Amino acid sequence: MDAAIYTTPDPDLRELLAARPTLRADAIDGLCFEGVPLAAIAAAHGTPCWVMGVGTLKGRARALRAAFTDAGLSPSMHFALKSNDLRATLVTLAAEGFGCDAVSGGEIRRARAAGIAPHHIVFSGVGKTDAELDLALELGLAHINVESAEELRRLSVRASAMGREADVVLRVNPDVDAATHDKISTGRADDKFGIPFGDIPALFDEARRLPGLRMAGLAVHIGSQINEAAPFRRAYARIASLVRDLRARGHAVHIVDCGGGLGIAYRDEIALDPRAWAATIAEAFGDLDVRLAIEPGRWLSAPAGLLLARVIDTKAMPEGSPDLIVLDAAMNDLARPSLYDSWHGIVPVAPPALHAPCTPHTVVGPVCESSDVLARARPLPRLEPDALVAILDAGAYGAVMSSTYNSRPLAAQVVVDDGRMACVKPRQDIEALWAGETVPEWFAA
Ligand SMILES: *Cc1c(COP(=O)(O)O)cnc(C)c1O
């Protein structure tokens, strides 16, 4: 993930497009996403602007389901809503049979508002407040993925006070290194997530004496942007042996939630095929007679979204440094490059620019931070002010991580599908940035 580890040259614009069939460079209209010219979206809705491809999203949802069907599995599919929480996204995926994995009370409420039934919502997260646990209990979610012994005891207290029974899955920390970026690894012993592998049996024993709990199974999620089968295989093998262990101690284990984490090719990575992921799950749990669940986020949503931006200015730099391209999109819109050193394809929208000779550029946003860099030494054609660019694979951990830093309103969100477009979330009003703020009356005195 870290830009410093790339040793191959950046893919060129043609290679980027060849790997993304729902993006097409038209000789007249320029870059089109699902048949809609990006220039038309910019003209109608301004920039910066998130564009979500509904057809791309549906296609990926179906491919993922088919990968599991081919492996002889039919897991419950819970979309990790934190990767893209747009209502249009949730409704699209719900129509494809996906529920949600929520990590806060806010996400549970958002899933409900999008029409997702409580029994299709799973609640994960390392710090669930009493109010959030109460909400989950009131609604009767599919299961609550508990992350500590303390949380389990607190859940028992809340559930019995409400006269309810919680369906509990324990999130195991399998102590497996997912070999991904440090900031998106979650399954090592010293990561904050999950319950240590060795503590699980005693906790199942303890739960027998705790009221308000129905112990249902185990969950594991070792990190994100994983493109090798081996870390999944290691983690799932540990969970499978734990299931056998628990059953030998007389505990019923009905559910294994395999988490998410499947990676994509942002640059020239060889992405793990979802069929290979499904195969590791079939191999580990196929003969265990458990109900399987998965929680994919990025794999579904990342390639279905892009961030459309406009060049504000270019800036010549001293000899030896690449010239700058200053966009109207910045780290407050797409935080991933500054947060994780992540690489996103950047493609000019206008037809001539797609075939022009390229030289290295540094692509930055206007935010007053040195880390507001979207790409370094990126081969791009000479772009003039007002030129449009598409920042690719921005559908996961993109708009959801936006802030209003530098008093920059949240960008508009548009969906496209088979030649149609609609704005589904208008650009935030500037006044909304300070709405509700007051100063105490005693300031005047
Ligand atoms: C973030 C998260 C996911 C989704 O991860 P992706 O890498 O986007 O697939 C799944 N489960 C849990 C518990 C998570 O926190």
Side-chain angles (χ1 to χ4, degrees):
M1 294 283 294
D2 190 318
I5 66 172
Y6 289 128
T7 52
T8 52
D10 284 335
D12 65 29
L13 301 179
R14 248 160 298 209
E15 288 167 322
L16 283 173
L17 294 185
R20 291 161 180 81
T22 51
L23 268 178
R24 193 178 52 84
D26 184 89
I28 294 155
D29 290 331
L31 199 60
C32 298
F33 190 26
E34 299 198 10
V36 179
L38 292 177
I41 297 176
H45 304 293
T47 54
C49 173
W50 302 95
V51 186
M52 201 65 193
V54 174
T56 312
L57 189 62
K58 278 186 204 163
R60 297 185 75 82
R62 288 172 194 176
L64 191 62
R65 179 177 299 285
F68 279 88
T69 306
D70 290 351
L73 304 175
S74 50
S76 329
M77 311 245 191
H78 300 116
F79 172 60
L81 144 65
K82 73 172 189 283
S83 73
N84 185 307
D85 63 10
L86 198 60
R87 190 174 180 135
T89 298
L90 305 183
V91 168
T92 301
L93 289 175
E96 297 297 326
F98 282 76
C100 280
D101 174 58
V103 295
S104 71
E107 285 197 351
I108 294 171
R109 306 272 303 266
R110 192 182 266 275
R112 290 293 299 124
I116 315 264
H119 66 276
H120 288 142
I121 302 173
V122 168
F123 188 19
S124 303
V126 80
K128 307 181 190 74
T129 65
D130 285 349
E132 288 174 322
L133 291 176
D134 290 354
L135 175 67
L137 288 163
E138 234 159 69
L139 291 171
L141 302 188
H143 43 94
I144 300 177
N145 292 1
V146 167
E147 298 230 9
S148 69
E150 294 80 356
E151 185 189 336
L152 185 71
R153 293 168 198 142
R154 202 153 47 85
L155 180 60
S156 164
V157 171
R158 307 305 302 181
S160 42
M162 290 169 75
R164 302 252 171 162
E165 290 229 295
D167 289 296
V168 178
V169 162
L170 296 186
R171 175 164 176 190
V172 183
N173 184 322
D175 194 16
V176 164
D177 191 339
T180 183
H181 191 288
D182 189 50
K183 288 183 184 164
I184 53 176
S185 181
T186 61
R188 301 166 301 189
D190 58 350
D191 286 323
K192 71 174 179 178
F193 299 96
I195 299 166
F197 183 82
D199 296 356
I200 298 287
L203 217 46
F204 263 78
D205 292 345
E206 179 182 340
R208 278 198 173 125
R209 303 186 300 272
L210 296 176
L213 304 178
R214 266 196 303 260
M215 298 304 283
L218 300 174
V220 67
H221 172 72
I222 54 172
S224 200
Q225 183 56 10
I226 299 168
N227 276 323
E228 289 170 65
F232 284 123
R233 200 174 290 126
R234 278 198 296 277
Y236 296 153
R238 302 204 81 177
I239 301 303
S241 78
L242 204 45
V243 171
R244 294 194 174 90
D245 221 34
L246 290 167
R247 285 179 174 168
R249 285 169 167 255
H251 296 292
V253 182
H254 307 294
I255 296 175
V256 171
D257 183 339
C258 301
L262 189 61
I264 65 150
Y266 283 100
R267 190 175 180 271
D268 58 355
E269 302 90 333
I270 312 286
L272 185 66
D273 192 294
R275 282 170 297 196
W277 185 36
T280 65
I281 292 176
E283 181 190 306
F285 306 114
D287 58 359
L288 271 187
D289 188 27
V290 285
R291 240 165 54 229
L292 292 167
I294 54 169
E295 305 168 342
R298 183 192 310 272
W299 191 88
L300 289 166
S301 56
L306 58 81
L307 176 58
L308 185 57
R310 197 179 283 282
V311 176
I312 297 177
D313 232 330
T314 56
K315 182 171 170 179
M317 294 295 278
E319 192 61 38
S321 298
D323 288 345
L324 296 189
I325 296 172
V326 187
L327 300 180
D328 63 359
M331 66 187 284
N332 74 293
D333 303 299
L334 180 65
R336 298 188 69 257
S338 57
L339 194 57
Y340 310 121
D341 306 312
S342 50
W343 194 101
H344 284 266
I346 300 181
V347 182
V349 169
L354 272 171
H355 302 283
C358 292
T359 53
H361 287 83
T362 304
V363 183
V364 303
V367 161
C368 298
E369 292 289 336
S370 299
S371 58
D372 185 22
V373 176
L374 294 160
R376 291 181 197 276
R378 184 64 60 86
L380 281 169
R382 189 184 161 75
L383 294 172
E384 301 298 333
D386 278 340
L388 294 168
V389 298
I391 305 175
L392 307 183
D393 304 317
Y397 309 106
V400 286
M401 281 194 182
S402 295
S403 77
T404 57
Y405 186 42
N406 283 201
S407 283
R408 293 167 49 85
L410 298 177
Q413 300 212 48
V414 169
V415 294
V416 292
D417 188 10
D418 195 18
R420 289 174 300 185
M421 74 161 145
C423 179
V424 293
K425 187 164 182 173
R427 188 174 310 284
Q428 192 177 30
D429 277 335
I430 274 287
E431 289 82 5
L433 296 181
W434 51 86
E437 283 186 39
T438 57
V439 291
E441 272 170 38
W442 45 263
F443 269 30

